[in-house]
Amino acid sequence: MKTYQKLMLGCALLAPALVVAGAAQAQISGVAIADPETVILTAKALDTANTSIATTYKAQLDQANARQQALQTELNGLYAPLDLNKDKKLDDAEIAAAEAAKNPALGKIEAAQKAAQTDLARLRGPAILAQAYAIEQISQKYAAAMNAVVTAKKISLLLSAGTVQFSAPAVDVTDDIKAELDRTNPSVPTTPPAGWQPSQQTQQLLQQYLQQQQYAAAIQARRAAAAAPAPTGKAPQGR
């Protein structure tokens, strides 16, 4: 069983953290643990939803990507005069120097970032709302999948993985619950009803999911940069 990242949101928001299913002999003395957030955020239905969302909102997402690239180009130009050591990044000393000199570039940077944030929120908003709706639909299916695993494995005590300091791998039934959820709910709707807004727990899950995606994208970008061939510094030879 693969090792899951232990996420710290309280799973009581999604399903009971403690389940009593009657006295019975289970595989580990009737006691098991599960990570509801991992089940929900890695569900097959969420992958399917993301594929549908990417198609439905492709035009807006393409515009958002173009806006993000334009912002980065604009910021690179604004950073250049402040980059005293020319390492293509601003450290605390360089920012402090710019603030002390009341360099107008700082104000331009802030204004550019705020304008871009407004544009990106508008362009990505519908797709993110659809993601939130999908996550909420999946979270509502968690309890049924959990109960099915509890019954099948004769578990009498199910604890949240986030509250357990140590457990043997065999005790973790997260994979089992995910498999049951994927089997019974391979897809969920992605079109929110008019006026729908995500619940607080859905907002927390969505934020957690987006942070995970950003982290994964950053790791992938660093790996791609590390794998890129180093420039030789030589001009191409003409024939």
Side-chain angles (χ1 to χ4, degrees), residues 16-172:
L18 181 64
V19 177
V20 178
Q25 294 296 321
Q27 55 184 28
I28 307 294
S29 302
V31 177
I33 64 172
D35 189 337
E37 288 126 339
T38 293
V39 172
I40 293 165
L41 298 185
T42 62
K44 178 181 179 181
L46 186 54
D47 289 337
T48 302
N50 282 332
T51 300
S52 175
I53 291 167
T55 300
T56 302
Y57 300 100
K58 183 178 186 304
Q60 296 96 318
L61 293 174
D62 286 347
Q63 291 177 44
N65 290 335
R67 183 67 177 91
Q68 183 73 52
Q69 293 174 1
L71 170 65
Q72 190 58 55
T73 299
E74 182 180 4
L75 291 179
N76 288 341
L78 293 172
Y79 287 160
L82 309 181
D83 184 12
L84 302 179
N85 58 8
K86 304 305 177 185
D87 63 351
K88 296 184 179 181
K89 60 182 179 181
L90 296 182
D91 55 33
D92 291 342
E94 289 168 335
I95 294 175
E99 290 175 342
K102 296 183 179 180
N103 194 310
L106 291 176
K108 293 179 180 179
I109 290 172
E110 183 177 0
Q113 290 175 329
K114 286 184 177 180
Q117 287 173 358
T118 299
D119 290 342
L120 292 173
R122 173 178 55 81
L123 292 169
R124 292 174 176 164
I128 291 176
L129 188 66
Q131 277 186 322
Y133 186 64
I135 288 173
E136 186 160 297
Q137 300 306 301
I138 295 168
S139 69
Q140 291 173 355
K141 309 294 185 182
Y142 175 86
M146 176 195 66
N147 287 331
V149 171
V150 164
T151 300
K153 291 186 173 293
K154 299 181 180 180
I155 296 169
S156 57
L157 188 65
L158 182 61
L159 302 173
S160 167
T163 62
V164 175
Q165 294 186 21
F166 170 80
S167 66
V171 176
D172 194 336

